[in-house]
């Protein structure tokens, strides 16, 4: 009997039938990378319903020397959730809201809770969980923690790391770490929960978290602004921050990205023809009085100073949702292109975004003349999603060299090769090239200390040795 078959027999003794799936048709959707970048393989899928069941699974896998790939909503963009022979552990059945305390502004949820459901639960008690991104209808709290997700409100609320007060996790030997604290202040040594945030499932299985909640905004307004250059976008960012004090999101999109996305059904662009750059600004405030006036004055000032070419404010929640829909569908927009393409998730200091776009663009043009650039993203955080697309199917398109050049351009400006998506499997080789060697050695030492058998998601972060 193989190790996995023997393991399955032991698991059947300790788990309810609903927690074990062996039907290939039921497993298949969990093995597909959503953009079609590879298909995974697993001997079976486990779907525990409680933390004790997760602990049993991990302990038995560790004893059998069989590796585990945890999975949440399967929306990850770096391949870390797709097993290649490991046991697949889906947290989707662990999706309960365990507790909400609007006085303490905290909420404890299980790892499989979908972000949109967490938003709704917070709303029922007059509060808000501010993490927001295009995949919020599928991405889970466990996945968002494990990738330290960012999204569109980092400018105001920070990344997932800033929004988590406590974590419950199953360690690689099956012990349960109960770190579900809701304290704002707790200086009692190493903050172990931080190890699991951004670990991509390599140090254990996150089973629940205590999250920070916030008051719901009273004033809410979304605007689109037409711009000539990324430099103008930075000037607008500064004005919007300084003059309104209410900026919650600042996204930019270049004309190529807007045109490709506008071709999708139901997508509207407020300016015709689309300008070289579009900025989407979201404002939020605790008081409604004077709120709209301050934004209108700021936008009029930006136009007068020739920073902005034009600006429009969404006059209804539906119009605001349409503005956001253009931004949220950006990835889907360029996926329809048939010529080769390669994508990146870079960050630089905010002030270096224009230089990054210029330098990366020149490098791509050298390697693939005529290539189109799709550039959009969270400019307020210095985070640009940058895709090079070959001009024709016959054009030279050395994808690896292009990626290396784009990463070099970000790194040379003090930037990062992964702003918010993580390293996963797709960026492992590049991590070695850019990460500080001492940091990389320390990361390996932490992994070895916590997971000496290399059970937990062994393919992410590190190149196989
Ligand atoms: C349309 C779209 C827009 C997106 N926009 C953004 C964006 O703006 N900002 C951003 O940061 N990301 C964005 N993403 C990426 C993605 O949504 C995030 O990576 C998300 O955090 C992954 O959550 P998930 O539940 O789908 O995790 P999965 O994809 O299932 O897993 C992601 C990683 O986390 C690990 N993992 C999952 N659950 C657990 C757990 N409970 N314990 C331990 N490890 C676990 C997996 O092994 C894997 O390595 C976007 C994705 C899409 C499809």
């Amino acid at each position: 009997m193989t190790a996995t078959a023997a393991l399955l027999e032991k698991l059947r003794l300790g788990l309810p039938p609903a927690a074990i799936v062996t039907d290939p048709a039921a497993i298949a959707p969990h093995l597909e990378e959503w953009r079609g970048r590879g298909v995974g393989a697993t001997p079976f899928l486990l779907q525990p319903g409680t933390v004790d069941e997760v602990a049993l699974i991990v302990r038995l896998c560790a004893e059998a020397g069989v590796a585990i790939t945890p999975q949440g909503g399967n929306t990850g963009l770096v391949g870390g959730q797709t097993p290649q022979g490991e046991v697949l552990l889906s947290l989707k059945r662990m999706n309960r809201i365990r507790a909400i305390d609007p006085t303490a502004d905290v909420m404890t949820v299980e790892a499989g809770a979908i972000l949109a459901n967490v938003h709704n639960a917070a709303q029922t008690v007059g509060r808000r969980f501010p993490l927001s991104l295009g995949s919020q209808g599928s991405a889970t709290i466990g996945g968002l923690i494990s990738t330290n997700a960012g999204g569109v409100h980092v400018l105001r609320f920070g990344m997932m790391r800033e929004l988590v007060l406590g974590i419950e996790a199953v360690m690689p030997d099956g012990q349960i770490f109960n770190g579900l604290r809701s304290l704002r202040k707790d200086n009692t040594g190493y903050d172990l929960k931080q190890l699991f945030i951004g670990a991509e499932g390599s140090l254990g299985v996150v089973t629940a978290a205590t999250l920070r909640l916030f008051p719901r905004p009273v004033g809410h307004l979304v605007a689109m602004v037409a711009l000539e250059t990324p430099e103008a976008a930075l000037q607008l960012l500064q004005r919007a921050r300084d003059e309104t004090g209410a900026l919650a999101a600042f996204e930019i999109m270049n004309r190529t990205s807007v045109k490709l996305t506008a071709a999708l059904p139901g997508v509207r662009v407020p300016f015709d023809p689309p300008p070289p750059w579009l900025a989407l600004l979201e404002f939020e405030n605790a008081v409604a009085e004077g709120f709209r006036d301050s934004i209108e004055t700021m936008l009029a000032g930006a136009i007068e100073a020739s920073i902005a070419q034009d600006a429009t404010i969404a006059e209804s929640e539906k119009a605001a949702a349409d503005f956001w829909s253009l931004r949220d569908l950006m990835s889907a927009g360029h996926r329809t292109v048939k010529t080769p393409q390669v994508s990146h998730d870079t960050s630089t200091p905010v002030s270096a975004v224009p230089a990054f776009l210029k330098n990366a663009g020149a490098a791509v043009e050298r390697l693939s003349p005529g290539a189109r650039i799709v550039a959009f993203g969270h400019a307020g955080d210095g985070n640009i999603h940058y895709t090079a697309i070959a001009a024709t199917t016959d054009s030279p398109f050395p994808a690896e060299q292009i990626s290396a050049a784009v990463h070099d351009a970000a790194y040379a400006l003090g930037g990062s090769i992964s702003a918010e998506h993580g390293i996963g499997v797709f960026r492992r080789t590049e991590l070695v090239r850019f990460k500080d060697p001492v940091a990389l050695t320390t990361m390996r030492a932490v992994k070895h200390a916590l997971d000496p058998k290399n059970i937990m998601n062994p393919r992410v972060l590190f190149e196989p040795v």
Side-chain angles (χ1 to χ4, degrees):
M1 193 185 284
T2 64
T4 47
L7 171 65
L8 184 58
E9 276 196 2
K10 283 191 184 165
L11 288 164
R12 284 196 200 282
L13 294 176
L15 294 174
I20 303 177
V21 182
T22 52
D23 173 13
I27 297 174
H30 292 267
L31 301 179
E32 281 163 25
E33 205 274 348
W34 72 280
R35 295 159 300 178
R37 295 192 188 167
V39 178
T42 188
F44 46 84
L45 164 67
L46 301 173
Q47 307 184 130
T50 65
V51 63
D52 290 331
E53 288 175 14
V54 177
L56 177 77
I57 289 167
V58 177
R59 184 170 58 76
L60 291 179
C61 285
E63 283 169 10
V66 173
I68 299 168
T69 296
Q71 191 182 83
N74 194 14
T75 69
L77 295 172
V78 286
Q81 74 279 16
T82 313
Q84 294 297 345
E86 301 86 28
V87 166
L88 182 55
L89 177 61
S90 169
L91 277 295
K92 276 229 167 146
R93 283 182 62 234
M94 289 187 63
N95 57 13
R96 285 172 291 263
I97 307 290
R98 288 195 192 161
I100 308 187
D101 180 350
T103 307
D105 272 334
V106 294
M107 173 192 226
T108 297
V109 303
E110 291 185 343
I114 289 173
L115 179 56
N117 296 341
V118 170
H119 288 164
N120 292 339
Q123 198 165 336
T124 58
V125 294
R127 290 291 185 270
R128 168 200 199 189
F129 182 63
L131 191 88
S132 179
L133 34 71
S135 55
Q136 62 197 29
S138 308
T140 63
I141 290 302
L144 294 157
I145 287 174
S146 301
T147 58
N148 186 26
V152 298
H153 291 137
V154 172
L155 193 60
R156 187 155 212 166
F157 296 98
M159 296 186 62
M160 195 62 178
R161 194 178 292 287
E162 277 85 37
L163 301 173
V164 175
L165 290 174
I167 279 184
E168 174 191 89
V170 173
M171 308 297 287
D173 60 0
Q175 288 186 83
I176 298 171
F177 161 58
N178 187 349
L180 278 183
R181 315 276 281 166
S182 59
L183 301 175
R184 312 277 160 156
K185 302 181 107 176
D186 181 17
N187 278 349
T188 51
Y190 302 147
D191 187 357
L192 288 187
K193 72 171 181 291
Q194 296 295 348
L195 276 182
F196 296 95
I197 305 176
E200 304 188 37
S202 65
L203 297 179
V205 183
V206 176
T207 51
T210 300
L211 307 173
R212 290 174 67 193
L213 300 181
F214 293 82
R216 286 163 54 73
V218 176
H220 177 242
L221 205 146
V222 180
M224 281 274 200
V225 180
L227 301 159
E228 280 292 324
T229 62
E231 286 81 359
L234 283 194
Q235 288 174 292
L236 180 67
L237 170 66
Q238 208 159 340
R239 274 189 180 235
R241 255 188 180 153
D242 293 354
E243 295 179 22
T244 71
L247 189 64
F250 188 90
E251 304 284 309
I252 60 169
M253 302 160 252
N254 75 349
R255 179 152 50 200
T256 304
S257 69
V258 171
K259 279 187 168 173
L260 288 170
T261 309
L264 298 174
V267 176
R268 276 189 48 248
V269 181
F271 305 108
D272 187 21
W277 289 89
L278 258 186
L280 185 158
L281 288 73
E282 185 172 64
F283 300 92
E284 294 174 353
N285 210 357
V287 277
E289 210 177 314
F291 174 61
R292 186 182 171 114
D293 287 350
S294 71
I295 292 157
E296 283 180 346
T297 306
M298 183 278 295
L299 290 174
I303 292 173
E304 204 171 313
S306 299
I307 292 168
Q309 309 305 301
D310 202 352
T312 177
I313 290 176
E315 294 299 342
S316 64
E317 284 302 315
K318 159 87 178 68
D322 281 351
F323 284 5
W324 269 117
S325 156
L326 172 65
R327 167 61 188 86
D328 287 342
L329 288 168
M330 285 273 129
S331 299
H334 61 274
R335 243 187 319 139
T336 56
V337 178
K338 296 287 176 254
T339 53
Q341 51 180 279
V342 58
S343 297
H344 311 88
D345 167 39
T346 57
S347 68
T348 60
V350 176
S351 51
V353 166
F356 164 72
L357 289 165
K358 184 163 157 274
N359 299 349
V364 173
E365 180 59 26
R366 264 196 308 279
L367 292 163
S368 183
R372 285 188 289 170
I373 300 298
V374 163
F376 64 92
H378 319 297
D381 314 320
N383 177 192
I384 299 295
H385 299 310
Y386 191 93
T387 300
I389 305 176
T392 68
T393 40
D394 298 328
S395 308
F397 196 75
E400 272 185 30
Q401 277 173 267
I402 291 173
S403 269
V406 171
H407 289 158
D408 283 340
Y411 188 74
L413 291 161
S416 167
I417 63 163
S418 178
E420 59 177 11
H421 296 161
I423 295 299
V425 177
F426 299 165
R427 301 257 179 260
R428 290 181 310 189
T429 316
E430 286 290 80
L431 184 71
V432 179
R433 216 156 66 81
F434 293 104
K435 194 83 181 171
D436 171 70
V438 175
L440 206 53
T441 308
T442 308
M443 279 170 61
R444 281 191 187 279
V446 171
K447 167 75 175 168
H448 186 72
L450 296 189
D451 185 14
K453 292 186 173 176
N454 206 15
I455 295 297
M456 288 308 313
N457 219 359
R459 290 177 314 104
V460 299
L461 296 176
F462 307 109
E463 288 272 72
V465 277

